[in-house]
Amino acid sequence: MDNEWLISEAKKARENAYAPYSGFTVGAALLTKDGKIYRGCNIESSVFSPSLCAERVALAKAISEGEKDFVAIAIVGAPSGEAPVEPCYPCGVCRQVLSEHVDISAFAVVVEEEGEARVCTLADLLPRAFVFEK
Ligand code: THU
């Protein structure tokens, strides 16, 4: 997997963000085991609580198309109209939602810092994850 390429896909996704309330636009690119990419952007709502993060939009698109094996997600975010400078890590809700669909110790989270791709695992970001015992 080419992390820079995955970041560039997240940047394309960010172009479609709808974030008139926060003014912070986010793009995500989710990579499947067989090399497919699902892009997502944040989609806000005037009543706020239904707002969707880019990561969960990408995941919902993929899951709803029957995808089950995920390798990595790249995320970029910044104030609207500005190039990303700071790394944009997934929020706590997205970490939990992703954790239910991936192997958290293998799944890579790719962010950009000072123009360079930085990679960690979801387990690094979500230690002692909640697991629902059915
Ligand atoms: N947001 C994301 O889409 N992903 C993240 O990882 C962090 C936050 C969105 C939610 C909201 O639309 C805006 O960024 C500001 O929080």
Side-chain angles (χ1 to χ4, degrees), residues 5-6 30-38 67 69 71:
W5 169 70
L6 203 55
L30 179 64
L31 179 68
T32 69
K33 196 172 166 191
D34 58 9
K36 278 173 78 179
I37 295 276
Y38 288 85
E67 299 290 353
D69 292 318
V71 174

Side-chain angles (χ1 to χ4, degrees), residues 14-15 17-26 42 77-84:
R14 186 178 164 234
E15 291 170 13
Y18 175 75
Y21 306 105
S22 72
F24 191 87
T25 54
V26 182
N42 56 333
S80 182
E82 293 179 21

Side-chain angles (χ1 to χ4, degrees), residues 2-71:
D2 181 336
N3 293 325
E4 276 73 26
W5 169 70
L6 203 55
I7 288 281
S8 72
E9 289 292 313
K11 286 181 179 173
K12 283 185 205 158
R14 186 178 164 234
E15 291 170 13
N16 296 324
Y18 175 75
Y21 306 105
S22 72
F24 191 87
T25 54
V26 182
L30 179 64
L31 179 68
T32 69
K33 196 172 166 191
D34 58 9
K36 278 173 78 179
I37 295 276
Y38 288 85
R39 294 186 201 158
C41 59
N42 56 333
I43 306 170
E44 297 183 347
S45 162
S46 58
V47 288
F48 301 136
S49 60
S51 295
L52 298 166
C53 289
E55 297 90 322
R56 277 177 289 138
V57 170
L59 184 68
K61 285 171 67 179
I63 297 279
S64 63
E65 293 301 320
E67 299 290 353
K68 292 193 180 344
D69 292 318
F70 302 106
V71 174

Side-chain angles (χ1 to χ4, degrees), residues 96 99-100 104 126 128-134:
Q96 178 64 34
S99 77
E100 299 181 32
I104 66 168
L126 192 65
R128 302 189 190 98
F130 173 73
V131 178
F132 187 81
E133 299 294 345
K134 286 165 263 201

